[in-house]
Amino acid sequence: MKLDNDTIIAISTPNGIGGISILRISGQKVVFLLKKFFKKSFYPRVADYSCFYISENMSIDNGIVIFFKKPYSFTGEDVFEFQCHGGEIITVLILKTIMSYDVRLANPGEFSFRAFLNNKIDLIQAESISQIIFSKTENSVFSASKSLNGLFSGHIRLLLNNISIFRMQIESHIDFSDNNINLLKKEDVVFEVTNLLKNFDSIIKNIQDSKNISYGVNLVILGNPNSGKSTLMNLLSKDEVSIVDAEPGTTRDIIKSFVMICGVKFNLIDTAGIRISDNKVEKEGVRRAIKIAFESDLLILLV
């Protein structure tokens, strides 16, 4: 995949008014832009209090500038960050001024994308950045942080290395089989395959656990009409999210809520009562209930 040579810029802080706003710039024009707008050179990785000049003799703001020289930056390119005052107008004004020098607005996730293309992070670490940003629980942050630090990638690399070694042993055994050299015994093959399968299972379990921690455990409540599904849903969610009535078939669609239990997010899903019906809408509700039940992580069946 080809790396875009454009110099890109983005506001790295949320929209609104605050103490500071942070603008991040990455690409070939970083050194030029630093001299153009701050009138001096910068030492890499040193915070420098500087004025931002909108014209030759007129500065409009001052703040902290940090320059990261390639390849020792997040993206692997020259990067600088400017911490200006956090007003909406001043931030956008600085953004537009820099963009007027053939600098374009970064696409969503493009800084991480460039870091991946420059071998600064792998795909698992790139996804972990997104998970940290959008985490809803502390456990989710801790889980994503481990992946960002390369723990999960290390397990993958170790498994691939073990597979490669085992493949070479198999190939050597085949190549020298006519020489009566017993390089690999049958029990050795069984042992190695068993270990590899155990490692695969462990990684798959870790992926599932990480998914549940990051996105929540999908818990579906299933049962016949009037079995108490909606009552349980309201009890667990501590809110009247589902209609409770003596008339069967009240719930005809998928009702969702969530609850935190011991730091884990559970996505609660109330469903239509399972029964044979001639009503077109209720039949569709039953179909959806059965479908989502098969896709659930946990299932509560009420009788």
Side-chain angles (χ1 to χ4, degrees):
M1 190 174 292
K2 186 178 180 180
L3 179 64
D4 195 334
N5 290 324
D6 292 349
T7 300
I8 57 175
I9 185 172
I11 301 174
S12 298
T13 43
N15 293 329
I17 297 174
I20 61 170
S21 289
I22 300 176
L23 293 99
R24 179 188 286 179
I25 298 91
S26 178
Q28 297 178 345
K29 292 187 177 182
V30 160
V31 175
F32 164 78
L33 295 171
L34 285 171
K35 292 181 179 179
K36 176 68 180 179
F37 294 112
F38 299 98
K39 308 298 184 184
K40 60 182 180 180
S41 300
F42 293 86
Y43 290 104
R45 297 176 175 271
V46 175
D48 194 319
Y49 183 75
S50 304
C51 294
F52 183 90
Y53 287 87
I54 195 170
S55 63
E56 192 65 30
N57 299 310
M58 179 182 176
S59 66
I60 58 168
D61 198 11
N62 46 49
I64 301 297
V65 178
I66 306 177
F67 169 52
F68 301 90
K69 187 174 179 60
K70 67 177 182 181
Y72 306 108
S73 70
F74 175 69
T75 63
E77 304 172 329
D78 284 339
V79 172
F80 83 85
E81 293 183 355
F82 180 42
Q83 301 176 13
C84 62
H85 288 94
E88 293 179 340
I89 302 300
I90 183 64
T91 305
V92 173
L93 179 58
I94 294 173
L95 177 76
K96 289 182 177 179
T97 302
I98 295 176
M99 289 180 64
S100 66
Y101 283 82
D102 198 24
V103 176
R104 68 169 175 82
L105 200 62
N107 295 317
E110 188 167 2
F111 285 91
S112 297
F113 180 61
R114 291 190 174 198
F116 166 70
L117 291 181
N118 286 320
N119 297 317
K120 305 298 289 187
I121 57 175
D122 57 33
L123 284 176
I124 295 174
Q125 291 172 308
E127 184 176 322
S128 299
I129 294 172
S130 177
Q131 289 179 353
I132 287 178
I133 294 172
F134 293 102
S135 288
K136 302 295 184 183
T137 67
E138 292 181 2
N139 287 340
S140 178
V141 171
F142 292 138
S143 175
S145 178
K146 290 179 181 179
S147 294
L148 181 59
N149 291 330
L151 182 63
F152 187 74
S153 298
H155 292 320
I156 297 294
R157 285 193 293 269
L158 180 61
L159 177 61
L160 292 174
N161 183 62
N162 290 339
I163 292 174
S164 180
I165 293 174
F166 185 49
R167 177 181 60 81
M168 287 189 291
Q169 291 175 337
I170 293 291
E171 290 177 353
S172 298
H173 182 80
I174 294 172
D175 291 341
F176 297 101
S177 60
D178 294 337
N179 298 333
N180 295 321
I181 301 176
N182 294 322
L183 298 174
L184 204 60
K185 298 179 181 179
K186 180 180 179 180
E187 52 267 30
D188 294 331
V189 174
V190 173
F191 178 79
E192 289 294 337
V193 170
T194 302
N195 277 342
L196 288 174
L197 291 176
K198 285 182 180 179
N199 289 336
F200 270 115
D201 290 339
S202 177
I203 288 176
I204 291 171
K205 184 180 183 302
N206 286 337
I207 293 173
Q208 185 62 46
D209 290 344
S210 178
K211 170 182 169 293
N212 289 342
I213 290 172
S214 299
Y215 302 105
V217 178
N218 292 327
L219 191 155
V220 173
I221 304 173
L222 196 72
N224 295 331
N226 278 7
S227 58
K229 300 185 303 301
S230 296
T231 301
L232 179 61
M233 176 73 166
N234 293 342
L235 178 66
L236 292 175
S237 61
K238 298 180 180 180
D239 194 8
E240 294 185 3
V241 295
S242 293
I243 297 175
V244 177
D245 193 86
E247 180 182 345
T250 305
T251 303
R252 296 187 175 186
D253 207 344
I254 303 299
I255 308 296
K256 296 183 179 181
S257 184
F258 76 91
V259 63
M260 302 296 297
I261 302 176
C262 297
V264 178
K265 180 184 177 185
F266 285 81
N267 302 311
L268 306 177
I269 304 171
D270 189 14
T271 60
I274 305 299
R275 67 173 179 178
I276 298 175
S277 174
D278 294 328
N279 184 284
K280 183 178 179 180
V281 176
E282 188 174 359
K283 286 172 66 176
E284 175 60 21
V286 171
R287 186 194 69 80
R288 294 186 182 187
I290 295 173
K291 180 177 181 294
I292 202 167
F294 278 104
E295 298 171 351
S296 67
D297 299 308
L298 292 175
L299 184 66
I300 295 180
L301 179 62
L302 292 183
V303 295

